[in-house]
């Protein structure tokens, strides 16, 4: 088996990879400093994370002695149910957000088609 020699004038694979990362002309115009995840998505995640911690634990300690008379089994069951309610709420909000994004994309597409027909 023979191997290919790299001539000094040729670029190696490593040199070619380095060229991919060099900014070319107009690279500053294409650069985006916008965050990868929108702020409203981060805020929703933080809110549901806070709710996932506070609601079940809070409900346990509020109900164990007041409503259930010291029965920690029922208070724990209620806490587990409320944790699932928070989780299902997060899934529903995420699905609605995803559907609204799809509807906006469809509206933009329809508007572009109308503009194309008008011209």
């Amino acid at each position: 088996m023979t191997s290919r020699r790299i001539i000094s004038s040729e670029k190696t694979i490593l040199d070619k990879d380095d060229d991919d990362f060099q900014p070319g002309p107009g690279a500053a115009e294409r650069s985006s400093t916008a965050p990868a995840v929108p702020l409203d998505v981060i805020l929703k995640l933080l809110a549901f994370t806070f709710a996932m911690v506070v609601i079940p634990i809070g409900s346990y300690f509020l109900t164990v002695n007041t409503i259930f008379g010291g029965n920690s089994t029922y208070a724990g069951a209620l806490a587990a149910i409320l944790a699932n309610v928070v989780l299902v709420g997060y899934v529903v909000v995420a699905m609605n957000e995803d559907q609204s994004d799809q509807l906006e994309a469809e509206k933009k597409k329809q508007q572009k088609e109308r503009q194309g027909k008008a011209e």
Side-chain angles (χ1 to χ4, degrees):
M1 245 165 94
T2 61
S3 61
R4 181 173 174 239
R5 287 190 202 171
I6 298 176
I7 302 172
S8 61
S9 64
E10 289 184 8
K11 288 188 175 184
T12 65
I13 291 178
L14 296 175
D15 293 333
K16 290 179 182 178
D17 285 345
D18 289 340
D19 288 342
D20 292 341
F21 294 112
Q22 298 296 326
E29 296 169 6
R30 293 182 301 203
S31 178
S32 175
T33 58
V37 179
L39 181 63
D40 61 330
V41 173
I42 294 172
L43 292 177
K44 285 178 191 174
L45 180 63
L46 288 175
F48 276 100
T49 301
F50 181 75
M52 191 63 149
V53 172
V54 172
I55 291 175
I57 294 173
S59 69
Y60 174 81
F61 286 110
L62 287 175
T63 61
V64 71
N65 289 323
T66 56
I67 295 175
F68 298 119
N71 191 343
S72 62
T73 303
Y74 292 143
L78 178 66
I81 290 169
L82 290 178
N84 283 308
V85 167
V86 172
L87 183 62
V88 168
Y90 179 72
V91 170
V92 168
V93 168
M95 287 177 59
N96 286 340
E97 181 180 330
D98 188 38
Q99 289 175 355
S100 66
D101 290 344
Q102 290 175 355
L103 291 174
E104 288 177 15
E106 288 177 11
K107 286 181 183 178
K108 287 180 182 179
K109 184 179 177 182
Q110 289 174 356
Q111 288 175 353
K112 287 180 182 180
E113 289 176 356
R114 290 179 190 157
Q115 289 175 354
K117 290 179 182 178
E119 293 176 359

